[in-house]
Amino acid sequence: MSNLQSDLPMPIQGTLESEKARRSRSTALLEWLQGWLVTVDHKRLGILYILYSIFFLLVAGAEAIFIRIQLAIPNNHFLTAEVYNRFFTMHGTTMVFLVGMPILFGFANYVVPLQIGARDMAFPRLNALSFWLTAFGGMLLYFSFLGGGLYGAGNAPDVGWFAYAPLTARTFSPGNATDYWALALIVSGFGTLGTAVNIIATIFSMRCRGMTLMRMPLFTWLYLVVSGLTLVTITPLTAAQFMLLIDRYLGGHFFDTQAGGSALVWVHFFWIFGHPEVYVLVLPAFAIANEIIPVFSRKAIFGYPAMVAASVGIMFVSLGVWAHHMFTVGMTSVTNAFFVLSTMLVGIPTGIKIFNWIATIWGGRVRFQTPMLFCLGFLYQFLIAGLTGIMLSVAPMDWQLHNSYFVIAHFHYVLVGAIVFCIFAGLYYWYPKATGRMMSERLGKWHFWLFVIGFHITFDTMHFLGILGMPRSIYTYQPDRGWNTLNLIVSVGGFIQGIAVLIFAYNFIVSYFKGDVAGDDPWDAWTLEWTTSSPPPVYNFAEEPEVRSRRPLWDLKHPYDTDWEYEG
Amino acid sequence: MSTASRVMDLPEERAWKLPSRGRVGMLSLIIGESALFTIFVVAYIFYIGKSLTGPTPAQVLEVPILGTICLLSSSFTIWRSEHAIEHGRMRAFAGWLAATILLGLIFMAGTAIEWHKLIVHDGLTIRTNLFGTTFYSLVGLHATHVVLGLSMLSVVLVLALLDRFPASQSERFAVIALYWHFVDVVWVVVFTVVYVIGR
Ligand code: HEM
Ligand SMILES: [Cu+2]
């Protein structure tokens, strides 16, 4: 509990002074370090999650750059085929499990208790355990680069982020690389499950007085939905990975076609996890947009109840669409039709959300600061991504485009164009709360414009490569296929995005020391986290807040025009 | 909304009561665990009759009637012990708790004997055929949960015997009991799938 003491804003005068003199620099450093390692404070854990993810964002980003160097010109020998396979596997696995999930849970950890006026999460120690499990999973995955090769062929995992059977059988994937893939994700999956349980318990049981469910900020609402979805999403993957390990270590036959097992069962199980997983990633992005778009349009969110209903609707529908990843395996036409229709159904609640965001911006006094710029990018790109998704949901169209660069373009439009954009928006938005300092607007604008330009150069172009028939996951191609120029363009865009992310990293570090002092409420926002100091004290709120509307801080600022007189 | 009902909504006028975090947390965990079991159950059902070699379930499986009765009645005993601690009757609490643990142990002993027979006598291991693979995985996964539950209950029993588990902890015990009920319900599903449908 030493972190508690070091964080107390008002130390007992005198005692600390004399102690400080005695203490040498190195013990102070050690105590600081220990304060972070044993912390159970939701704010510190949130920051740890986010720093951990940003680190892996840079790592997996570097892997992507290597991939793009290899593909920039035909017949390239920059990477061998084996290394190329490891790189795209590690890139995908890292981005989904070590960047996307932990950073989104980092936001939840930091923001949700503050937004609901709570002292901490429901289970602070479980929270710390979950983080360290996740962190250990990440280290285990990357240790495979060193340890995966010791006992046989192979090195880092090279079976794709979906690890299709029977490629993962012992015969075809000797060595331990595939085991690292499964074990690392099982371990971090336990961490994820713990966090989801924790967030749900926090939201149901820790809200301050007056915060009824329909007065919760939409951010918190979406995290409730996404944590519920996580409960039933990550566990099927864990189950399937148990089966994989049983096959690999105990000689089981789950996915062993020689003994009557079915490789297709793996594909089903993987996508029963995999499709809801993409919503686990995108719903928190919606959550961030739901906070930023109203504040920067100076209007309350349009259609709050519809937003809640659409989120819950998306959660349920997303559990019934997984086989749209499997149109090419040869299912019956009834099955195909079912999954075509259920997939298209997702478009309805998603469309409702997009209209609500636009209606929120409509007629507002929009402030084009960095967080808002990233949210506007998100809106546009998410719309396009949804439309290519609908294209792919048409089974005959998918037979043509499946496993081509069109699919890569579709999902990077969501994962980068929507999710990463919102993550950046959220980082710029809450950075002043967590550090007490503003990030540089000037560098932020550079970051945004370079990133958005690089993004479109890369991923718009990929759609055309896909339509021209370039398959995914190939390590090189012949010069006579007509893909040369487009590939070069894609790679150039990748470099531009890389530069933009480096500018962001620079801004992130330097602003911590040199940024303008933020004050409690730099954006003139409305939710509870902005009522406390920046950074907030350990105990968050000196006295437990009490709310009467969805925008408690608005009520405080405008006592003669409060929201609760109008909210039904 | 009418003015009257809006006044009713003012927080001052109403007690602010939220569900216990322990229960919410355990229910969430149970939802997650259910999805985990669902995948194993689906795999079991899908692979029924797909083994290329014997032995088959019909040849070697015997219905574990005694174990099943014990496990299911342990839901009753733990409910009695919940009831006892809520009313501060600590002797009864410990007694019913001990009965619950005993019933769980009998169930586990039944599984041990069954597996011993299957492995040694019938030569069915996890690698023999698809039936072996899916059977040991599913039943083993459930047994792991029973062991986990028994460990938690035993810790509580030891604390209770040392007078370290006061009646004020009844809420905590209720959370553990919830888990135990879940383990029981899962057994109903596993039993139906493995010993009724699959045999
Ligand atoms: C909401 C965020 C979304 C995310 C994060 C996302 C992500 C992904 C990912 C990762 C894949 C490819 C997986 C792989 O093969 O490795 C994919 C494929 C696909 N997505 Fe999306 N997607 C999203 C939204 C949508 C929507 C709204 C639709 C349709 C309405 C859709 C339809 C499809 C289809 C049909 C495929 C299969 C394409 C194929 O493999 O042939 N997606 N998506
Ligand atoms: Cu999908």
Side-chain angles (χ1 to χ4, degrees):
Chain A
M1 282 298 176
S2 65
N3 61 312
L4 279 179
Q5 279 145 27
S6 63
D7 263 10
L8 277 176
M10 283 181 293
I12 303 157
Q13 288 302 319
T15 46
L16 202 74
E17 298 309 314
S18 60
E19 235 187 33
K20 211 178 223 167
R22 268 186 279 131
R23 206 187 279 160
S24 72
R25 270 184 86 97
S26 62
T27 39
L29 187 74
L30 277 178
E31 285 190 8
W32 173 84
L33 196 68
Q34 196 226 10
W36 281 91
L37 287 179
V38 303
T39 187
V40 294
D41 175 39
H42 75 96
K43 298 181 288 300
R44 288 192 161 196
L45 286 167
I47 291 172
L48 284 176
Y49 265 117
I50 289 174
L51 294 178
Y52 167 86
S53 316
I54 291 180
F55 169 73
F56 274 116
L57 177 73
L58 298 176
V59 172
E63 282 158 1
I65 295 287
F66 278 89
I67 292 174
R68 281 324 310 179
I69 294 176
Q70 167 64 19
L71 291 179
I73 49 172
N75 270 339
N76 201 356
H77 294 293
F78 179 68
L79 301 178
T80 62
E82 289 81 12
V83 173
Y84 183 87
N85 288 353
R86 285 170 207 153
F87 270 42
F88 78 69
T89 302
M90 291 296 269
H91 166 76
T93 309
T94 307
M95 283 297 192
V96 171
F97 295 98
L98 311 186
V99 180
M101 305 272 274
I103 206 167
L104 297 166
F105 282 132
F107 277 112
N109 253 300
Y110 197 92
V111 178
V112 165
L114 287 170
Q115 272 197 341
I116 61 173
R119 162 71 182 77
D120 206 313
M121 299 281 277
F123 309 109
R125 275 179 291 184
L126 173 65
N127 201 14
L129 176 70
S130 304
F131 169 74
W132 289 107
L133 280 177
T134 308
F136 180 69
M139 288 178 225
L140 196 59
L141 185 66
Y142 271 82
F143 182 70
S144 66
F145 272 113
L146 303 175
L150 287 184
Y151 304 104
N155 186 288
D158 55 0
V159 287
W161 85 290
F162 36 69
Y164 276 2
L167 180 58
T168 48
R170 269 240 172 270
T171 333
F172 309 112
S173 291
N176 296 81
T178 305
D179 307 313
Y180 276 97
W181 179 83
L183 283 169
L185 297 191
I186 288 175
V187 171
S188 72
F190 284 142
T192 306
L193 183 65
T195 307
V197 167
N198 214 339
I199 294 174
I200 296 177
T202 305
I203 295 178
F204 273 125
S205 307
M206 309 287 282
R207 280 169 288 134
C208 66
R209 284 181 76 87
M211 185 168 285
T212 56
L213 284 182
M214 287 314 269
R215 282 185 196 149
M216 283 194 320
L218 277 179
F219 179 91
T220 301
W221 246 116
L222 270 140
Y223 268 103
L224 181 60
V225 172
V226 86
S227 305
L229 186 58
T230 304
L231 292 180
V232 295
T233 297
I234 198 77
T235 36
L237 178 67
T238 306
Q241 285 171 331
F242 278 151
M243 295 177 186
L244 178 61
L245 289 180
I246 289 172
D247 275 10
R248 285 178 62 87
Y249 277 102
L250 304 178
H253 308 290
F254 280 109
F255 312 117
D256 174 7
T257 44
Q258 302 290 303
S262 160
L264 210 57
V265 167
W266 170 270
V267 184
H268 274 291
F269 287 170
F270 184 84
W271 289 114
I272 284 174
F273 147 78
H275 184 82
E277 169 68 14
V278 305
Y279 283 88
V280 167
L281 293 172
V282 85
L283 289 174
F286 296 170
I288 293 169
N290 281 335
E291 291 303 306
I292 294 176
I293 290 177
V295 168
F296 287 80
S297 308
R298 314 307 304 149
K299 281 173 66 192
I301 189 90
F302 182 89
Y304 176 100
M307 285 302 231
V308 172
S311 311
V312 178
I314 287 182
M315 176 182 82
F316 282 111
V317 178
S318 74
L319 292 174
V321 301
W322 75 88
H324 65 216
H325 296 272
M326 305 169 56
F327 287 135
T328 51
V329 306
M331 301 179 293
T332 65
S333 52
V334 176
T335 319
N336 277 347
F338 175 84
F339 284 102
V340 168
L341 291 175
S342 66
T343 304
M344 288 183 173
L345 200 63
V346 177
I348 296 174
T350 313
I352 292 177
K353 281 176 173 285
I354 292 194
F355 281 119
N356 279 346
W357 284 317
I358 293 174
T360 306
I361 299 172
W362 199 268
R365 274 183 289 121
V366 181
R367 295 190 309 212
F368 291 98
Q369 284 159 298
T370 312
M372 186 62 172
L373 290 179
F374 274 101
C375 281
L376 292 174
F378 149 77
L379 267 186
Y380 171 72
Q381 281 130 212
F382 184 61
L383 175 67
I384 307 284
L387 292 177
T388 53
I390 301 272
M391 287 168 74
L392 289 169
S393 73
V394 182
M397 188 100 176
D398 187 71
W399 294 334
Q400 179 66 27
L401 293 173
H402 179 69
N403 271 357
S404 77
Y405 262 81
F406 193 87
V407 172
I408 306 284
H410 156 71
F411 70 75
H412 280 86
Y413 241 76
V414 196
L415 294 167
V416 182
I419 298 170
V420 174
F421 269 64
C422 278
I423 288 173
F424 282 135
L427 289 172
Y428 282 97
Y429 184 65
W430 279 293
Y431 188 90
K433 179 48 64 183
T435 64
R437 293 187 184 259
M438 308 294 290
M439 282 177 81
S440 153
E441 256 312 288
R442 194 174 50 85
L443 288 179
K445 295 233 159 73
W446 272 101
H447 171 204
F448 171 74
W449 285 109
L450 279 178
F451 198 64
V452 90
I453 291 169
F455 171 84
H456 283 281
I457 292 178
T458 297
F459 295 108
D460 296 8
T461 314
M462 269 191 194
H463 289 96
F464 299 108
L465 273 175
I467 291 171
L468 290 178
M470 177 162 164
R472 71 191 289 188
S473 313
I474 52 169
Y475 83 103
T476 194
Y477 49 91
Q478 298 303 312
D480 58 359
R481 307 299 296 264
W483 304 333
N484 303 4
T485 324
L486 291 180
N487 266 309
L488 191 59
I489 295 175
V490 169
S491 295
V492 170
F495 272 98
I496 299 178
Q497 291 174 76
I499 294 169
V501 172
L502 290 181
I503 293 179
F504 161 79
Y506 174 81
N507 193 358
F508 193 85
I509 295 169
V510 170
S511 299
Y512 183 74
F513 302 102
K514 300 234 166 80
D516 298 340
V517 173
D520 294 354
D521 180 21
W523 310 113
D524 193 6
W526 303 312
T527 38
L528 282 179
E529 73 265 35
W530 306 102
T531 60
T532 178
S533 62
S534 309
V538 213
Y539 48 81
N540 289 352
F541 301 97
E543 50 190 286
E544 197 197 328
E546 186 164 329
V547 304
R548 289 175 164 201
S549 78
R550 288 170 199 149
R551 297 194 297 169
L553 193 46
W554 169 277
D555 295 349
L556 272 182
K557 290 174 187 166
H558 308 88
Y560 299 107
D561 181 25
T562 55
D563 268 6
W564 50 269
E565 304 200 36
Y566 305 102
E567 270 174 20
Chain B
M1 207 184 257
S2 74
T3 344
S5 68
R6 189 163 331 127
V7 172
M8 288 295 295
D9 257 3
L10 291 185
E12 304 85 46
E13 331 246 307
R14 237 178 17 186
W16 186 243
K17 194 144 172 30
L18 293 170
S20 106
R21 58 188 171 166
R23 272 177 210 257
V24 174
M26 184 51 81
L27 281 175
S28 312
L29 183 69
I30 287 176
I31 295 176
E33 291 255 38
S34 310
L36 186 83
F37 274 106
T38 305
I39 296 295
F40 274 91
V41 167
V42 166
Y44 193 93
I45 295 177
F46 180 79
Y47 285 132
I48 287 177
K50 295 230 167 60
S51 293
L52 301 184
T53 58
T56 67
Q59 288 166 342
V60 294
L61 276 194
E62 283 160 21
V63 183
I65 294 182
L66 178 68
T68 304
I69 291 175
C70 285
L71 194 63
L72 295 189
S73 31
S74 76
S75 253
F76 172 77
T77 53
I78 202 169
W79 172 68
R80 290 309 306 163
S81 104
E82 268 179 88
H83 194 74
I85 192 174
E86 271 168 29
H87 292 79
R89 297 198 309 270
M90 300 311 286
R91 296 273 302 275
F93 165 66
W96 284 114
L97 182 56
T100 309
I101 294 174
L102 189 70
L103 290 169
L105 285 175
I106 298 178
F107 172 83
M108 284 310 298
T111 306
I113 294 168
E114 178 191 38
W115 284 28
H116 182 82
K117 171 194 164 279
L118 288 176
I119 294 170
V120 175
H121 183 256
D122 303 317
L124 177 76
T125 69
I126 199 164
R127 54 199 324 161
T128 310
N129 57 15
L130 265 174
F131 164 55
T133 302
T134 52
F135 172 82
Y136 288 113
S137 311
L138 179 58
V139 175
L141 184 68
H142 176 262
T144 314
H145 282 74
V146 176
V147 171
L148 212 69
L150 282 177
S151 325
M152 290 195 287
L153 294 177
S154 310
V155 171
V156 176
L157 182 64
V158 170
L159 289 178
L161 293 178
L162 296 174
D163 275 338
R164 292 282 193 70
F165 202 84
S168 56
Q169 298 281 7
S170 68
E171 182 63 32
R172 284 211 174 152
F173 185 69
V175 171
I176 299 180
L178 204 57
Y179 176 84
W180 188 255
H181 290 305
F182 166 70
V183 171
D184 264 13
V185 171
V186 171
W187 179 251
V188 175
V189 176
V190 172
F191 181 85
T192 314
V193 167
V194 173
Y195 297 97
V196 180
I197 301 174
R199 207 163 66 100

